[in-house]
């Protein structure tokens, strides 16, 4: 069935069912948290048969894992501004807008909370961040090639350093970070990287912490 | 009743009851998470009358709020090493050891998860971090006086910058940060602070002193 570009995701009925179910699951997580997620309720909200939801996702944790996989698939490509600081600012801006968005911010808090007590959700969350970091790491690697940062800089560590203060602010104070915090996060990660803080030793890269 | 120093907390029976109940509450949070916290179970574990627990704490959220207040009271005083970097390293080391401790790390994850969906816990958590930051901020302020960091540096922001990557690692990967991550967190916060990233006011981006 033809549709206007952007109005439905490609892939036919199966993909549309998935999109509707994941949208409903995200809504419940953002509104009420992981403890209130229920497959029958999600099916009702998504206007999809309960049997379909049970057969396809099996459990609440299976549904959250698929939601995180979808979020990773849908996550935006990195911005290429021509400088490391510009790229890190673009990344910080994206993280900040995500966490400050009422639905998205609540969704991340709910999923991170669920990961604290559910191993499958924790694994899906790790994979989500692996995808995000792999997407943005080249901006640091290219900066090293251009001579903006010292060689041996751990690109993943720099990308994580941009996100860390923004997540920390949201998770410990409950207040989403603003644009000034995003700018500061990017400048702090760049200054530390330029000072060689993220240079890893020969042959013994530090653990991904 | 006399006791060896350090074997019981001072304050008589009321204080001992509080210590036993908060210890039990922390154990349940660390082992099973907020959703499993139950006043009757805590009373049983603490070997304290159920009525006492209900009368004094009223609810699970009241109990968690008091636990966080107690953790703030018990939190260690800052170390004074004579240099900002030394002090930030001492702080990073303390945060890292706390988060890497199986009981403490699980306890923090549980409380942060609970704060995502409970306003009273969120407020108690904010107060806990306010106490921690107020304790350590003077090490940055003294560094500014000694000329190690630019004047106008936001001391609280620097202290938060030390903690952020350590909490972020634990909360998004589930793996507690190690000593190398703590050292890197302290060096990153110091490098960014020295570069003027945390200078506030007048919209100046760079240190101008």
């Amino acid at each position: 069935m033809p549709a206007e570009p952007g109005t439905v995701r490609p892939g036919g009925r199966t993909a549309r069912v998935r999109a509707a179910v994941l949208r409903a699951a995200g809504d419940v997580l953002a509104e009420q948290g992981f403890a209130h997620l229920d497959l029958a309720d999600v099916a009702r909200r998504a206007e999809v048969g309960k049997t379909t939801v049970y057969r396809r996702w099996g459990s609440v944790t299976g549904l959250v894992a698929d939601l995180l996989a979808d979020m990773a698939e849908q996550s935006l490509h990195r911005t290429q501004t021509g400088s490391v600081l510009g790229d890190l600012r673009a990344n910080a801006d994206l993280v900040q807008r995500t966490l400050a968005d009422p639905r998205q911010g609540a969704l991340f808090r709910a999923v991170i909370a669920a990961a604290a007590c559910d191993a499958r959700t924790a694994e899906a969350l790790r994979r989500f961040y692996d995808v995000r970091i792999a997407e943005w790491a080249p901006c640091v690697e290219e900066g090293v090639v251009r001579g903006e940062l010292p060689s041996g800089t751990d690109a993943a560590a720099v990308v994580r350093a941009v996100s860390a203060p923004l997540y920390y602010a949201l998770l410990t104070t409950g207040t989403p970070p603003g644009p000034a915090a995003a700018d500061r996060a990017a400048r702090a990660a760049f200054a530390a990287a330029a000072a060689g803080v993220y240079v890893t030793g020969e042959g013994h890269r530090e653990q991904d912490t």
Side-chain angles (χ1 to χ4, degrees), chain A:
Chain A
M1 196 172 76
E4 292 298 313
T7 56
V8 296
R9 292 201 253 172
R13 188 181 134 68
T14 302
R16 285 198 303 279
V17 164
R18 183 182 181 223
V21 167
L22 296 185
R23 177 87 204 170
D27 287 347
V28 174
L29 280 170
E31 290 162 20
Q32 301 174 53
F34 184 77
H36 296 271
L37 197 60
D38 171 80
L39 293 194
D41 176 44
V42 166
R44 201 161 38 239
R45 284 174 175 247
E47 299 179 1
V48 167
K50 209 162 69 172
T51 317
T52 303
V53 173
Y54 278 94
R55 197 172 47 219
R56 177 143 177 200
W57 286 277
S59 66
V60 161
T61 54
L63 183 54
V64 173
D66 195 39
L67 175 63
L68 281 162
D70 183 64
M71 285 161 65
E73 286 160 25
Q74 305 290 325
S75 77
L76 295 175
H77 291 299
R78 71 188 174 102
T79 309
Q80 292 178 269
T81 66
S83 77
V84 174
L85 183 55
D87 290 0
L88 295 182
R89 277 196 165 114
N91 187 19
D93 183 55
L94 180 60
V95 173
Q96 183 268 320
R97 280 185 289 117
T98 301
L99 299 183
D101 177 80
R103 181 180 185 274
Q104 292 277 94
L107 180 53
F108 272 97
R109 290 184 84 184
V111 172
I112 289 168
C117 51
D118 179 74
R120 187 167 175 191
T121 302
E123 177 55 33
L125 191 64
R126 262 194 301 276
R127 278 200 303 272
F128 171 81
Y129 288 111
D130 286 347
V131 169
R132 281 271 309 146
I133 288 164
E135 176 62 34
W136 285 86
C139 77
V140 176
E141 291 155 5
E142 289 166 9
V144 171
V145 171
R146 286 193 303 260
E148 293 180 60
L149 294 177
S151 72
T153 296
D154 179 344
V158 179
V159 176
R160 280 194 297 267
V162 171
S163 289
L166 304 173
Y167 276 84
Y168 178 72
L170 178 65
L171 295 169
T172 64
T173 71
T175 307
D183 186 64
R184 198 153 71 169
R187 288 187 292 127
F190 178 75
V197 170
Y198 302 109
V199 172
T200 52
E202 295 189 4
H204 48 280
R205 272 173 92 84
E206 286 179 61
Q207 276 298 320
D208 282 356
T209 50

